């Protein structure tokens, strides 16, 4: 029994020392008529607040042929911002403006709050026009 408890403790310590957390990072699924992707949420107050809102259905518009944007039902708390983004970045422009980037680039000041990163093919968003998505926690 001591050996099993020691191994569990050691695994938790190694996970923490390698930059992870002892608990699994929140993962979400974004689904639409165009396909489904999974994403890992960032470790910040805004991403935690987004996770607490789920499930959500969001009407998205195409913007600048690099991103889909849509309104959240409520504002998310402030978190650090950055200007650069990659394809698959989930972001927050204003406190209630959810963004999915399907190309890489850079935004003007004040930058975006990073909410997470899609794992997989983001080309499903690379189409003109509106899109309705459903965002929910993975099971």
């Amino acid at each position: 029994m001591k050996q099993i408890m020691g191994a569990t403790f050691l695994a938790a310590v190694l996970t923490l020392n390698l930059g992870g957390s002892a608990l699994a990072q929140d993962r979400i699924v974004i689904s639409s008529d165009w396909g489904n992707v999974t994403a890992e949420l960032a470790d910040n107050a805004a991403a935690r607040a987004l996770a607490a809102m789920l499930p959500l259905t969001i009407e998205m518009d195409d913007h600048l042929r690099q991103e889909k944007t849509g309104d959240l039902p409520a504002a998310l708390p402030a978190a650090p911002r950055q200007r650069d983004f990659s394809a698959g970045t989930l972001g927050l422009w204003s406190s209630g403006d959810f963004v999915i980037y399907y190309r890489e680039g850079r935004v003007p000041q004040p930058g975006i709050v990073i909410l997470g990163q899609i794992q997989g093919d983001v080309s499903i968003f690379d189409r003109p026009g509106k899109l309705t998505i459903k965002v929910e926690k993975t099971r």
Side-chain angles (χ1 to χ4, degrees):
M1 180 71 165
K2 275 185 178 179
Q3 191 173 24
I4 292 171
M5 289 176 64
T8 302
F9 176 75
L10 179 59
V13 168
L14 286 173
T15 299
L16 288 169
N17 285 337
L18 294 175
S21 69
L23 301 174
Q25 192 75 1
D26 279 336
R27 294 179 63 81
I28 59 173
V29 174
I30 302 171
S31 55
S32 73
D33 290 342
W34 297 348
N36 305 324
V37 293
T38 60
E40 187 170 297
L41 292 179
D43 184 15
N44 62 42
R48 286 188 289 277
L50 175 67
M53 288 181 179
L54 301 180
L56 289 174
T57 300
I58 307 170
E59 176 89 12
M60 308 286 286
D61 290 305
D62 199 72
H63 185 66
L64 300 174
R65 293 291 303 155
Q66 72 178 11
E67 65 200 60
K68 296 289 190 222
T69 63
D71 295 326
L72 294 172
L76 299 181
R81 290 177 172 266
Q82 68 183 52
R83 295 183 62 199
D84 295 318
F85 59 86
S86 62
T89 296
L90 302 178
L92 187 65
W93 180 247
S94 66
S95 62
D97 189 16
F98 181 69
V99 182
I100 300 172
Y101 292 97
Y102 55 85
R103 298 190 197 287
E104 65 180 45
R106 186 173 177 88
V107 296
Q109 289 291 357
I112 56 170
V113 172
I114 302 299
L115 295 174
Q117 183 68 39
I118 292 174
Q119 277 87 51
D121 187 7
V122 297
S123 68
I124 64 169
F125 302 108
D126 188 2
R127 300 179 188 195
K130 292 186 179 291
L131 168 68
T132 299
I133 62 168
K134 181 162 187 170
V135 184
E136 55 194 335
K137 290 184 182 178
T138 59
R139 294 188 174 103

